[in-house]
Amino acid sequence: MDHPPNPPRPDLRALFFAFAAVGLSGFGGVLPFARRMLVEQRGWLSAEEFNAQLGLCQFLPGPNVVNLSIVVGKRFHGWRGAIVAPLGMLLAPMLVVLLLGMAYDRWGQLPLAQEMLRGIAAAGCGLLFAMAWRMGAALRDKALFLPFTVLTVAAIAWLRWPLPAVMLGGLAAAGAVAWWRLGRP
């Protein structure tokens, strides 16, 4: 879906309700919903901007999607947006979780409740894979990034290197490649 180069700037109310809808969309993970809202529906970020912002947010402490809401909110409305966007994302889901926690405490051991939770977990896995596919599609013309992906998976999954070491090594390697590419005429 093509978006205009300068999509309309959302006001604080639009930020709050857009992220509230994202927060209420998922059970156990809303990153696919955030990507769809930000990139495909609202056009507030391009696919490349989303990937770059998410990469930053994954490097920072805290939940990735909450970090992303703060970054997007700040981008459009400074500190006010950085407060309103995550508040929208967290307020209603927090109330829902409190109510679900009380319900689970009461009826969670019933077989039907256990089956429902397994189905929700399977749907969450599918959404995660679909989002990863879409994010990868935004990088398909950038073969330079493929070795970083392979090396990261190899270092963590097969060699069992600690995540902080892999992140620092990846940061240094990516910085070196960026410096080399940007330094070339």
Side-chain angles (χ1 to χ4, degrees):
M1 172 181 271
D2 291 327
H3 296 287
N6 294 318
R9 178 182 156 148
D11 60 13
L12 288 171
R13 184 174 181 220
L15 276 173
F16 179 87
F17 284 112
F19 279 103
V22 167
L24 287 170
S25 296
F27 189 91
V30 296
L31 193 55
F33 300 106
R35 185 191 185 285
R36 184 172 357 136
M37 182 272 291
L38 290 168
V39 176
E40 298 169 16
Q41 293 174 340
R42 307 276 177 139
W44 292 345
L45 299 176
S46 69
E48 292 80 14
E49 288 172 320
F50 179 86
N51 289 351
Q53 297 300 327
L54 180 61
L56 169 68
C57 293
Q58 288 176 330
F59 194 74
L60 297 172
N64 299 336
V65 180
V66 174
N67 291 345
L68 185 64
S69 69
I70 293 168
V71 168
V72 170
K74 177 158 184 346
R75 175 181 180 166
F76 290 112
H77 287 286
W79 67 270
R80 287 178 183 91
I83 292 171
V84 166
L87 185 63
M89 175 167 285
L90 296 172
L91 187 61
M94 182 181 70
L95 296 174
V96 169
V97 168
L98 288 172
L99 291 173
L100 286 174
M102 290 188 296
Y104 183 79
D105 189 45
R106 176 95 164 104
W107 298 293
Q109 299 308 316
L110 295 175
L112 180 61
Q114 293 297 313
E115 290 173 20
M116 285 176 19
L117 290 174
R118 278 193 291 277
I120 290 169
C125 288
L127 287 170
L128 182 63
F129 282 115
M131 186 205 55
W133 183 265
R134 286 184 179 169
M135 287 180 68
L139 296 174
R140 71 174 165 250
D141 297 330
K142 298 175 179 91
L144 183 65
F145 296 112
L146 185 59
F148 287 100
T149 304
V150 172
L151 290 173
T152 300
V153 169
I156 294 172
W158 298 318
L159 298 175
R160 305 278 189 222
W161 289 357
L163 182 60
V166 174
M167 289 175 64
L168 289 174
L171 181 63
V177 169
W179 179 77
W180 173 72
R181 294 220 23 173
L182 293 174
R184 292 176 64 191

